[in-house]
Amino acid sequence: MKKFDKERLLLAVAGPVIALVVAVALTSVVLIASGKNPIEPYTIMFEQATFSDIQVLIINQASMYYIAALAVAIGFRMNLFNIGVDGQYQLAAMMAAVVGAHAALPAVLQVPLLILTAVLTGAFWAGIAGLLKVTRGVSEVVATIMLNAIATSLIAYLWLPDVFGVKVGNNNTTGEMHESGWVPGFDMGEAGEIYGLVVLAALLGIGYWVVLNRTRFGFDLRASGASETAAAASGVNPKRMVLTAMLVSGGLAGLAGLPILLGDSHTYNLNFPTGIGFLGIGIALLGRNSPTGIAFAALLWAWLDKASQDLDYQGYDKEIAVIMQGLIVIAVVVSYEAVREWGLRRQQRRVGAELAAGHVLGASSDNNTEKEVAGR
C-alpha cells in the first residue's frame, strides 16, 4: 500500500475512533460525578449483547437506522442538510399502512405497492423543500424542520376515524394491513425473528455505493457537493442536482419505517417508533457517509439502545446510553475537524518538502551545467 493511501486510511479511521474514545471518557466522568461505577455499565451492556434475543433486536433496529442514515448521507454528499428525514419516514410509513389496510392484492404485487407508496411519499415530502430551495432560495434546513411539524399534524388528521383512523382502545391506528403485505422474516427460534426487510437495507447500502462511485449521477452529485461553480462549468445543472438529491434522499427516508411496519407491527399507531430520522444524522456523521461506516455506526447505535435496557435493573439509569449518543455526535464534529486540520498540515508539510527538494535538485543541476560550460 502506498504511503498516500495509508495516510488516507489513517485519516478516515482516526475521526470515528477519537469520537468514540472521547464519548466513553466523558460518559465515565458523568458516572463518576454521580457516584456510579464508570466501568460496570459498559460491562453490563457488552454482556447483554451476547444474548441471542438482544442480538436480534439490535439487527432489527439497526436496519431502520441504516436506511435513515443513508437518506441523510445522500444530502450530505450534496452539501444539503435534510433534517426532515423524521417527518418523511413517518408520513411514508403511515401512507403505506393506509394503502396496506385498504388494498388487497397478491403478495407479489402488494409488497412492491407498499414499498413504492413509501418511496413516493418520502420523495414528495422532501421534494417540497428541494423545490423551495431551487426556486425561492429557502434553506432546506428551515423548510424540512417546518415540514416535520406539518407531517405530524397531517398524521394526526389522517388518524381521525372519519378519514383513515381506526380506534383500538386508547390507541390511534390505521387498521391492520392485509396479510399479503406482510414480509416474512428470518426465524431465529427463541431469539425471535429478524425482519425480512433487513435484506432491503443491505441492498440499499450496496446500491448507494454503486450509484455514488460508478455512475455519472454519483459523480455529478459529489462534484456539485464539492463545488457548485466547478460542477456548473463542467455542464452540471446545480439546481437540478439539488432537487434530484432531495428527491432521492426523501425516497430513501420513506423506506426507513418499513422493516418494522411490514415485518412486525402491520399497522401505524401511537407506538410506532419516532426520532429515527434525527438519529440517522448522528449515524451518518459517525459513518462518514460511507455505506460500511454507516453500517457499523447503526449497529453501535442499536446496541446502545437495546443493550442499555437492563441498566435500570442493575441500579443504573438507561439514559446513560442517550448521554453517550449525544456525546458521540459532539465528539464526531470536533474530532473530524481536528483530523481534517491535521491532514491539511501534513499535506502542506509534504508539499513544502517536495518543493524544497525540487529546488535543491534544480540548483544542483544548474551548477553542473555551468561547470560543463566552463570546462568547454
Side-chain angles (χ1 to χ4, degrees), residues 94-337:
M94 182 171 207
M95 293 308 300
V98 169
V99 172
H102 291 82
L105 301 174
V108 70
L109 297 176
Q110 183 85 339
V111 173
L113 173 64
L114 300 181
I115 293 176
L116 182 62
T117 300
V119 170
L120 293 178
T121 302
F124 170 76
W125 208 244
I128 296 174
L131 195 61
L132 289 173
K133 184 175 181 65
V134 299
T135 59
R136 291 292 180 266
V138 178
S139 167
E140 75 279 2
V141 175
V142 175
T144 50
I145 288 176
M146 297 306 298
L147 284 168
N148 279 343
I150 296 172
T152 301
S153 300
L154 184 56
I155 288 171
Y157 168 74
L158 295 173
W159 256 334
L160 294 175
D162 294 338
V163 189
F164 296 116
V166 177
K167 202 76 173 177
V168 178
N170 293 324
N171 199 353
N172 294 328
T173 78
T174 54
E176 188 171 71
M177 299 165 57
H178 290 283
E179 288 193 26
S180 59
W182 299 8
V183 175
F186 304 97
D187 188 9
M188 307 303 292
E190 294 182 358
E193 189 175 85
I194 295 177
Y195 297 150
L197 288 187
V198 165
V199 175
L200 174 63
L203 292 176
L204 289 174
I206 295 171
Y208 170 86
W209 183 88
V210 171
V211 169
L212 280 183
N213 297 283
R214 292 292 184 269
T215 67
R216 174 59 189 267
F217 170 75
F219 173 79
D220 291 346
L221 185 74
R222 289 182 286 113
S224 299
S227 172
E228 283 193 11
T229 305
S234 65
V236 178
N237 187 327
K239 290 187 176 181
R240 184 192 303 162
M241 288 305 302
V242 167
L243 182 58
T244 303
M246 287 300 294
L247 289 172
V248 173
S249 178
L252 278 175
L255 296 171
L258 292 195
I260 189 172
L261 177 66
L262 304 188
D264 183 23
S265 67
H266 308 306
T267 186
Y268 187 91
N269 54 34
L270 292 174
N271 299 322
F272 201 82
T274 59
I276 292 176
F278 296 114
L279 293 176
I281 297 172
I283 293 169
L285 285 171
L286 183 60
R288 296 197 64 135
N289 301 323
S290 158
T292 305
I294 291 173
F296 283 112
L299 287 169
L300 171 65
W301 238 257
W303 169 68
L304 289 172
D305 278 345
K306 299 305 179 182
S308 64
Q309 300 299 317
D310 196 56
L311 292 178
D312 277 340
Y313 303 102
Q314 304 292 336
Y316 294 92
D317 297 322
K318 65 180 180 181
E319 283 73 21
I320 290 170
V322 179
I323 293 173
M324 191 171 181
Q325 288 173 345
L327 290 174
I328 287 175
V329 174
I330 296 173
V332 160
V333 175
V334 175
S335 64
Y336 281 1
E337 182 62 24

Side-chain angles (χ1 to χ4, degrees), residues 74-98:
I74 283 286
F76 282 161
R77 287 286 192 171
M78 184 66 195
N79 271 342
L80 296 171
F81 196 177
N82 181 10
I83 205 171
V85 169
D86 209 64
Q88 291 153 21
Y89 94 83
Q90 289 189 59
L91 187 60
M94 182 171 207
M95 293 308 300
V98 169

